[in-house]
Amino acid sequence: MEFEATFGTRAPVIGMVHLPPLPGAPKAPDDGATAMRDALDRAAADARALDRGGVDGIMVENFGDAPFYPDDAPKHVVAGVTRAATAIAAETDLPLGINVLRNDADAALSVAAAVGADYVRVNVHTGARVTDQGVVEGKAHETIRLRDRLGVGVGVFADTDVKHSAPLSAEGFSAESFADTAERGLADAVIASGRGTGEAMDPEALEAVVDDRDAHGLDTPVLVGSGVRADTIGDVLSVADGAIVGTALKEGGETTAPVDAERVAEVVARADEVR
């Protein structure tokens, strides 16, 4: 994919749609029809608020489905995410991304192909991480080949040192991991995050990721994937090539609350000051 052409800016602000529990999830209403209707209503409303606030793209994920399946979400989850993505696409023409938690890249790509989405997020694309779902292994070899078989130009945005996880090795992030993800794993963008949802990334750690990218002679965009706020997005975009913002765009700064268009507009306005 052409990163800048897709978003229409060199440093996009991508807003999150965190779906409430889908039918079959432990926290979903007992009535499956009610659960699905709630998810669709929230997805559509959040998409409208993000569009109105001026973001450059949207990412949807089944955030309310915890505890997550490690890497093979069942069919009812994939169907629910597909319906939600379709509802979002009906509300806005913004570039759309799909993330099927915890790490079902095949499902995300399949949903993206079905609804005409532009990119997917893959939490573990190469290597392996220890997570609350156990050891999650990257399957870049399968993901990239599936994209080719589907014949779609969907971008693969892959995390490095992904949040809510730990490395298998004591060394943690290595100088080779960026090249493994972007050069050998063929990711179209790399996402760097803090330790958890809504947690800011250490500025020095972000600079280290960008430095590693540059040291390998790559031009793969680096996005920050957690903890970005209105008062920090200027500093973030002075180093990174974009930001995925969720919690800071929600009413009261609560991750599971509805999107607040005024908070979105404030973040976007601060971003516009540096791009």
Side-chain angles (χ1 to χ4, degrees), residues 66-232:
F68 305 116
Y69 294 90
D71 55 13
D72 188 13
K75 295 177 178 63
H76 67 271
V77 173
V78 181
V81 174
T82 303
R83 287 196 68 187
T86 301
I88 292 169
E91 299 290 337
T92 176
D93 293 327
L94 287 169
L96 177 60
I98 311 293
N99 187 17
V100 179
L101 298 168
R102 171 67 152 125
N103 199 58
D104 196 337
D106 282 5
L109 267 174
S110 300
V111 174
V115 305
D118 302 275
Y119 50 98
V120 299
R121 182 174 186 172
V122 183
N123 293 160
V124 183
H125 185 56
T126 57
R129 305 283 297 183
V130 179
T131 75
D132 51 314
Q133 295 80 34
V135 176
V136 174
E137 298 184 28
K139 299 179 180 178
H141 58 292
E142 295 181 3
T143 301
I144 299 303
R145 285 174 172 82
L146 175 60
R147 179 174 64 175
D148 290 344
R149 292 199 304 275
L150 293 174
V152 292
V154 175
V156 173
F157 294 3
D159 283 85
T160 180
D161 199 21
V162 68
K163 58 189 176 182
H164 300 291
S165 75
L168 288 174
S169 65
E171 291 81 7
F173 179 81
S174 68
E176 290 75 30
S177 65
F178 195 103
D180 287 345
T181 300
E183 191 170 38
R184 292 162 61 87
L186 303 184
D188 298 285
V190 171
I191 303 169
S193 301
R195 295 183 61 184
T197 300
E199 295 189 25
M201 186 176 190
D202 180 75
E204 293 184 0
L206 174 59
E207 291 179 0
V209 174
V210 173
D211 288 346
D212 283 328
R213 186 266 310 272
D214 296 343
H216 285 92
L218 301 171
D219 58 4
T220 308
V222 173
L223 298 93
V224 173
S226 72
V228 179
R229 308 185 307 271
D231 61 337
T232 62

